[in-house]
């Protein structure tokens, strides 16, 4: 339950920040045969199916000769998500652009939390969250398949995938867990949507080089 709450908080905050990167006509960047716009029924997928999807995505991303593992993992996620949503493929340029923007977004979120609110994830906290996620893999087969694919490709353990390849995501989740109670106090609100919207506005201003105004 706690793990799911952390993920929800991270996703909500990211979604409110991410509107800075929404681009009109993104589908026009697709290549190849256009698929019917229907999602794959995730209830029908097994962990082995997710593993195959991510293995295929890793192979595709590696063909782009991406050296940076942080960039690679976001390109992999971009390719895999299009596959699971049954959407047309994006071009290499679009995938890399989206990946770089996501990296910029995560870094800004983490950096601003430290600069403004003195919130920073420790190595011990990263280890603890990674351990917790591994304990709950049976209830998250998509993550299980993702970890298996990267572990198999790069000869790593699932824990090493989390703490090396997924380190920034783990750091973001820990940061958001520690940050949320402080934001509730600063904004005088425990409404998650409102807190996330206000914090997202702060981070957008931070990224734009504007002194954020605390909308309490």
């Amino acid at each position: 339950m706690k793990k799911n709450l952390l993920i929800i908080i991270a996703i909500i905050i990211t979604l409110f920040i991410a509107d800075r990167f929404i681009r009109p006509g993104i589908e026009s960047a697709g290549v190849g045969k256009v698929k019917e716009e229907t999602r794959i029924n995730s209830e029908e997928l097994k962990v082995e199916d997710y593993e195959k999807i991510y293995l295929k995505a890793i192979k595709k991303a590696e063909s782009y000769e991406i050296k940076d593992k942080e960039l690679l993992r976001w390109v992999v996620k971009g390719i895999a998500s299009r596959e699971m949503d049954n959407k047309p493929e994006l071009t290499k340029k679009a995938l890399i652009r989206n990946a770089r923007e996501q990296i910029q977004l995560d870094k800004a979120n983490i950096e601003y939390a430290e600069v403004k609110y003195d919130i920073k994830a420790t190595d011990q906290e990263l280890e603890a969250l990674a351990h917790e996620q591994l304990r709950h893999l049976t209830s998250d087969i998509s993550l299980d398949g993702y970890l298996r694919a990267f572990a198999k490709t790069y000869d790593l353990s699932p824990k090493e995938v989390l703490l090396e390849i997924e380190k920034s995501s783990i750091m973001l989740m820990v940061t958001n867990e520690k940050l949320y109670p402080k934001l509730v106090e600063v904004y005088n609100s425990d409404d998650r949507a409102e807190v996330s919207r206000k914090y997202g506005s702060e981070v957008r201003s931070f990224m734009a080089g504007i002194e954020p105004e605390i909308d309490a």
Side-chain angles (χ1 to χ4, degrees):
M1 181 67 180
K2 181 180 179 183
K3 172 197 166 195
N4 291 336
L5 179 60
L6 296 184
I7 293 174
I8 290 170
I9 293 172
I11 290 174
I12 289 176
I13 290 178
T14 299
L15 286 176
F16 275 100
I17 302 171
D19 65 352
R20 179 179 186 273
F21 300 119
I22 294 176
R23 297 174 180 271
I26 190 70
E27 297 299 335
S28 64
V31 296
K33 184 178 180 180
V34 176
K35 302 177 183 179
E36 183 182 355
E37 295 294 313
T38 55
R39 291 175 60 87
I40 294 176
N41 187 352
S42 59
E43 294 182 358
E44 297 178 357
L45 294 179
K46 300 178 181 179
V47 63
E48 293 81 9
D49 298 317
Y50 283 110
E51 181 181 355
K52 288 177 183 177
I53 290 172
Y54 283 115
L55 283 170
K56 179 181 176 183
I58 290 172
K59 184 176 181 181
K60 179 73 173 180
E62 286 185 329
S63 72
Y64 297 151
E65 299 183 345
I66 299 172
K67 305 300 182 184
D68 183 81
K69 283 293 192 296
E70 179 77 356
L71 184 62
L72 177 73
R73 78 180 180 95
W74 278 112
V75 170
V76 167
K77 289 179 179 181
I79 295 170
S81 68
R82 305 291 293 189
E83 176 75 16
M84 287 184 278
D85 288 346
N86 209 21
K87 291 183 177 180
E89 296 177 5
L90 295 180
T91 63
K92 171 184 175 180
K93 182 178 180 179
L95 285 164
I96 291 177
R97 181 194 64 211
N98 292 346
R100 284 175 174 159
E101 290 176 345
Q102 186 61 54
I103 291 170
Q104 181 185 20
L105 173 63
D106 287 355
K107 285 183 176 178
N109 194 332
I110 293 169
E111 183 181 350
Y112 185 69
E114 181 177 0
V115 170
K116 183 66 178 183
Y117 295 103
D118 197 28
I119 298 292
K120 185 175 182 179
T122 66
D123 290 340
Q124 292 80 4
E125 290 168 334
L126 301 184
E127 286 264 358
L129 182 54
H131 180 69
E132 183 179 348
Q133 287 198 317
L134 292 174
R135 286 179 53 234
H136 293 88
L137 275 185
T138 55
S139 62
D140 192 345
I141 59 174
S142 175
L143 176 60
D144 194 357
Y146 175 85
L147 294 179
R148 289 188 186 190
F150 270 93
K152 180 179 292 186
T153 301
Y154 299 108
D155 193 26
L156 299 170
S157 68
K159 184 176 181 180
E160 286 173 328
V161 176
L162 283 174
L163 292 177
E164 294 178 20
I165 296 176
E166 282 294 308
K167 184 175 182 179
S168 63
S169 289
I170 297 294
M171 188 177 297
L172 180 61
M173 291 177 68
V174 171
T175 298
N176 286 341
E177 179 189 18
K178 297 172 69 174
L179 177 64
Y180 186 74
K182 183 165 288 192
L183 294 180
V184 168
E185 181 181 347
V186 170
Y187 301 142
N188 193 28
S189 172
D190 59 1
D191 181 277
R192 297 191 185 283
E194 182 182 6
V195 169
S196 299
R197 176 184 60 78
K198 289 181 176 180
Y199 183 68
S201 178
E202 283 191 58
V203 174
R204 285 195 299 273
S205 295
F206 175 69
M207 295 175 75
I210 302 171
E211 181 67 26
E213 294 183 6
I214 306 299
D215 183 16

